[in-house]
Amino acid sequence: MALSSSAAKLLIDPSNLVTSIKPSSILNSLFNHRHPTFSHSRTFSNTTIKACAGVNRREFLTDTATAAAALSLGLLGDNSKLSVAKADALSEWERVYLPIDPGVVLLDIAFVPDDPSHGVNRREFLTDTATAAAALSLGLLGDNSKLSVAKADALSEWERVYLPIDPGVVLLDIAFVPDDPSHGFLLGTRQTLLETKDGGSTWVSRSISSAEDEDFNYRFNAITFKGKEGWIVGKPAILLHTSDSGDSWERIPLSAELPGDMVYIKATGENSAEMVTDEGAIYVTSNKGYNWKAAVQETVSATLNRTVSSGISGASYYTGTFNTVNRSPEGNYVAVSSRGNFYLTWEPGQPYWQPHNRAVARRIQNMGWRADGGLWLLVRGGGLYLSKGTGITEEFEEIPVQSRGFGILDVGYRSQDEAWAAGGSGILLKTTNSGKSWSRDKAADDIAANLYSVKFINEKQGFVLGNDGVLLKYLG
């Protein structure tokens, strides 16, 4: 039995065990503004697979081109300890991450002798039904493999990208360099920082020396770019800046009196940015973060505990933080209170956040801006609402969605008419009529993860971020 010229095969044989080789001062002026009231805070089946064509293990591992074929095929990708020879990484070895469960022991490997360097990407290989069927009959795909045969209703417009990170990492934000859409960065918990230079198909881990000097495990919350200039904020309080498209990052010192945790940052121009904390503090800088100016006069707690909170349910004696905060292209903000019982808005020039009663019975999960300038609103339990008209309003209408009872956690607009919603247990929903109706996409049904964030960089480039290191890439 011969393998197709485009397929590589993993062999299970206990006698051939491949052993892997484990491979500046503090800104005292940050809050010195004129408002003294700002007191801000994832086994093969047990079938033995026999090779009809094999290569010596040493010959294979010292042949860089052969190893590259396995990588290009896409059969090698997340959590395995298979090592491939490469002269410039970890001396002559580098780790290749595979899409299999932890604990699997890899026993052997073989390649097609006629063309060891020829490979196809995972999607091209698996969308060829005949090839995929042959692969199944040969045992290339185990019962529990994460490589699935692409059917009409599987992976539709999305595919999963496997990442070289530990299980349990929650992905939080993604951004690309505007001048080079193939170059981007991905953030998450456990000090996760990944970089891509091929549009998000493959990612490598990055480290920032200035963020490793302390005994902290930073949670990187947000990243933004404008031109070659970029910013990262995280928790505990950390602010990073780059002026060379992320080739190097400089840590910007922050005052210990920062009110709350930094949850959002937006690059607005050369050396300029806008930063938001979970207590409602908004600051702007125009000198690379060395000085900041308050854009609001007080924290949300202070605002709600004054007369402005009158009539806002759940606002009296408010001491919580934001659950979510989203910014419109025009610079307007909408934020949801930590308990989801009301929401707040802010427009440039306003001295305080403006609280609003929710017009729905269930508590709010998240809110954000539609492509037309209106608002979308998600409630706990899977409900989706759209505001009537554009701009800031308290009038919303419910839109029927097939959420299967799972919560919808975020909405991202690809264009004026098309948007995607994501949520618990791999829920993906799509609209092509500006949100009037939604259909369910089964792309992530078999992925045991919650999908927290939908990010479209442009109409051709989009991503869905989830827990346990789940990343989906838009294929169109």
Side-chain angles (χ1 to χ4, degrees):
M1 187 182 297
L3 294 168
S4 69
S5 62
S6 64
K9 177 179 178 186
L10 291 175
L11 306 177
I12 298 179
D13 185 347
S15 66
N16 292 317
L17 178 62
V18 179
T19 303
S20 65
I21 297 180
K22 294 186 178 178
S24 75
S25 65
I26 299 298
L27 295 180
N28 294 322
S29 61
L30 178 58
F31 305 105
N32 292 336
H33 48 79
R34 298 180 179 178
H35 309 295
T37 57
F38 201 138
S39 53
H40 319 297
S41 26
R42 160 265 280 193
T43 76
F44 284 96
S45 60
N46 294 325
T47 304
T48 298
I49 306 172
K50 296 183 179 179
C52 36
V55 294
N56 176 276
R57 185 162 68 247
R58 182 175 179 81
E59 291 175 350
F60 162 67
L61 290 174
T62 55
D63 186 343
T64 306
T66 304
L71 292 171
S72 62
L73 180 61
L75 289 175
L76 309 180
D78 194 311
N79 283 338
S80 164
K81 295 186 177 179
L82 175 71
S83 297
V84 174
K86 188 174 183 181
D88 60 352
L90 294 178
S91 67
E92 298 182 67
W93 300 86
E94 74 169 356
R95 179 175 177 181
V96 178
Y97 291 85
L98 302 180
I100 58 179
D101 293 329
V104 172
V105 179
L106 302 179
L107 299 176
D108 209 350
I109 191 168
F111 281 79
V112 179
D114 295 337
D115 192 358
S117 63
H118 180 68
V120 296
N121 68 49
R122 183 167 69 251
R123 186 171 179 84
E124 290 173 342
F125 171 67
L126 291 176
T127 52
D128 184 334
T129 306
T131 306
L136 286 170
S137 66
L138 290 171
L140 283 173
L141 305 180
D143 293 337
N144 296 320
S145 170
K146 291 183 181 179
L147 293 175
S148 301
V149 177
K151 302 177 182 178
D153 61 350
L155 292 182
S156 60
E157 299 178 68
W158 300 86
E159 73 171 354
R160 182 173 178 179
V161 178
Y162 290 91
L163 304 174
I165 57 178
D166 295 330
V169 170
V170 179
L171 303 178
L172 297 175
D173 203 5
I174 189 171
F176 283 75
V177 179
D179 298 337
D180 183 4
S182 64
H183 186 195
F185 293 85
L186 181 62
L187 307 180
T189 58
R190 302 184 187 176
Q191 209 155 309
T192 298
L193 178 60
L194 303 176
E195 182 178 17
T196 181
K197 292 189 177 181
D198 60 7
S201 297
T202 60
W203 298 81
V204 296
S205 181
R206 278 287 305 270
S207 62
I208 300 175
S209 58
S210 60
E212 297 178 343
D213 296 337
E214 306 172 26
D215 295 329
F216 289 123
N217 195 351
Y218 288 101
R219 169 192 176 106
F220 292 137
N221 286 323
I223 184 172
T224 180
F225 276 95
K226 190 173 183 64
K228 295 183 178 181
E229 190 169 5
W231 305 79
I232 292 176
V233 294
K235 175 185 178 181
I238 186 171
L239 175 64
L240 303 171
H241 174 265
T242 181
S243 56
D244 55 12
S245 302
D247 290 339
S248 63
W249 293 88
E250 171 191 9
R251 184 168 180 173
I252 307 297
L254 289 168
S255 169
E257 298 177 5
L258 183 68
D261 298 316
M262 293 177 292
V263 293
Y264 181 83
I265 192 165
K266 174 68 175 179
T268 55
E270 184 177 359
N271 296 325
S272 301
E274 194 169 270
M275 177 176 68
V276 184
T277 77
D278 61 357
E279 291 193 8
I282 303 177
Y283 291 101
V284 294
T285 183
S286 58
N287 64 351
K288 209 170 69 171
Y290 286 98
N291 295 101
W292 296 84
K293 179 182 178 181
V296 292
Q297 295 185 11
E298 60 189 10
T299 61
V300 171
S301 294
T303 299
L304 293 179
N305 289 327
R306 296 191 297 106
T307 56
V308 178
S309 66
S310 178
I312 303 300
S313 178
S316 298
Y317 305 105
Y318 175 85
T319 58
T321 57
F322 288 160
N323 184 38
T324 64
V325 58
N326 284 292
R327 184 183 189 273
S328 74
E330 296 76 28
N332 301 326
Y333 285 92
V334 60
V336 177
S337 68
S338 55
R339 291 184 292 173
N341 49 354
F342 62 94
Y343 66 99
L344 306 100
T345 59
W346 181 83
E347 298 177 90
Q350 291 181 335
Y352 314 108
W353 284 86
Q354 306 300 310
H356 302 268
N357 276 313
R358 70 181 193 271
V360 295
R362 286 180 287 176
R363 292 179 182 260
I364 305 171
Q365 178 70 49
N366 195 5
M367 292 182 68
W369 304 90
R370 304 197 305 260
D372 63 2
L375 290 165
W376 52 261
L377 182 152
L378 305 175
V379 298
R380 300 177 186 180
L384 187 153
Y385 294 75
L386 299 179
S387 65
K388 297 179 180 180
T390 61
I392 297 172
T393 179
E394 294 184 3
E395 296 184 13
F396 290 82
E397 60 179 337
E398 185 173 10
I399 307 298
V401 292
Q402 300 174 357
S403 67
R404 300 185 297 166
F406 294 103
I408 305 174
L409 304 177
D410 195 26
V411 176
Y413 276 76
R414 175 174 171 264
S415 65
Q416 188 81 8
D417 298 322
E418 182 179 325
W420 290 81
S425 193
I427 284 291
L428 272 179
L429 303 170
K430 177 185 179 181
T431 180
T432 55
N433 55 11
S434 301
K436 296 179 179 66
S437 62
W438 296 76
S439 61
R440 180 175 154 225
D441 188 293
K442 300 181 180 180
D445 277 8
D446 295 329
I447 297 178
N450 294 324
L451 306 178
Y452 290 117
S453 179
V454 183
K455 301 278 186 179
F456 277 95
I457 313 304
N458 50 54
E459 289 193 3
K460 297 181 179 180
Q461 192 174 27
F463 299 87
V464 176
L465 286 60
N467 67 333
D468 282 333
V470 170
L471 178 68
L472 304 183
K473 180 185 178 186
Y474 180 73
L475 299 174

